[in-house]
Every structure is written in structure tokens, then in C-alpha cells.
Amino acid sequence: LTRRAQRFGAYLFSGFLDLLAGYGYKPGRSLAAYLLFIVAFAGAFLRLGDTLHPPLSPLAALIFSITSFHGRGFFPGGVALDNPLTVVAAVEAIVGLVIEISFIATFTQRFFAK
């Protein structure tokens, strides 16, 4: 990569950290992102769940979103791995990992730094 591309990537990543966690000083932002993504992905699962028999209920979609966010829901029994529901669950697991890392780093910075 060129030097300019590296600086632009660093700029984007810095902006992302500011938005997600206030550079490590605002854990409430990570919590808000957590809740926002759980609800957004639950809506996606509810919509995609219509392809299943029986379709997902709103409560089932929410539970599936929570378990997917924490990396445990993207291997649902009876659903093929190439099903759009499973693909979205895998994406949610990756997003969840990034947000969880951000929250842990923010919590550590906020409460244990000098």
C-alpha cells in the first residue's frame, strides 16, 4: 500500500473508534451499539425467518440475534450453511466480536487507566 492509503486507512479506523467508543472513554457508546445491532439483526432474522418452516417468531429472532452476536448462533440446526439466515448470523458474529473487543478495551481504559 502507498503511504497515502495507509494514512487514509488509519484515519478511517480512528474515526470508527471515536464513533464506537469515544477513543476509549465512552463505554456507553459501545453499549448503545450493542443494543442497536441486536435489534437491527433481529429484524433481519425476523424477515429472513419467513423462509423457515415454521417461521421465526419475534422472540425467536431476538434470541437468535443475541446468540449470533456472541458467536454461538450461526450454526442453527436444520438450516443449511449457505442459507441467507446463516450468512447474516455469521456477519453478526463478526460485528459482535468487534464491538465486544471495543467494549472491553473501553472499560479497561475508563476504569483502570490512570
Side-chain angles (χ1 to χ4, degrees):
L1 292 173
T2 66
R3 185 87 167 130
R4 178 178 276 172
Q6 287 176 338
R7 277 190 262 158
F8 182 69
Y11 173 78
L12 285 178
F13 186 67
S14 177
F16 170 73
L17 288 179
D18 182 34
L19 182 67
L20 184 60
Y23 292 115
Y25 292 99
K26 298 182 179 178
R29 287 187 185 182
S30 293
L31 182 61
Y34 172 82
L35 295 173
L36 175 74
F37 278 102
I38 291 291
V39 170
F41 277 99
F45 292 137
L46 188 60
R47 189 162 181 95
L48 290 170
D50 289 341
T51 63
L52 301 176
H53 297 288
L56 290 178
S57 68
L59 179 60
L62 180 65
I63 291 170
F64 190 69
S65 179
I66 292 169
T67 58
S68 295
F69 188 92
H70 295 285
R72 292 175 183 84
F74 61 91
F75 290 117
V79 180
L81 293 177
D82 59 351
N83 185 302
L85 184 77
T86 309
V87 173
V88 171
V91 170
E92 185 178 15
I94 293 168
V95 170
L97 179 63
V98 171
I99 291 175
E100 286 173 339
I101 290 170
S102 168
F103 182 74
I104 291 167
T106 302
F107 182 80
T108 303
Q109 172 71 20
R110 175 84 173 180
F111 295 106
F112 295 112
K114 293 182 180 180

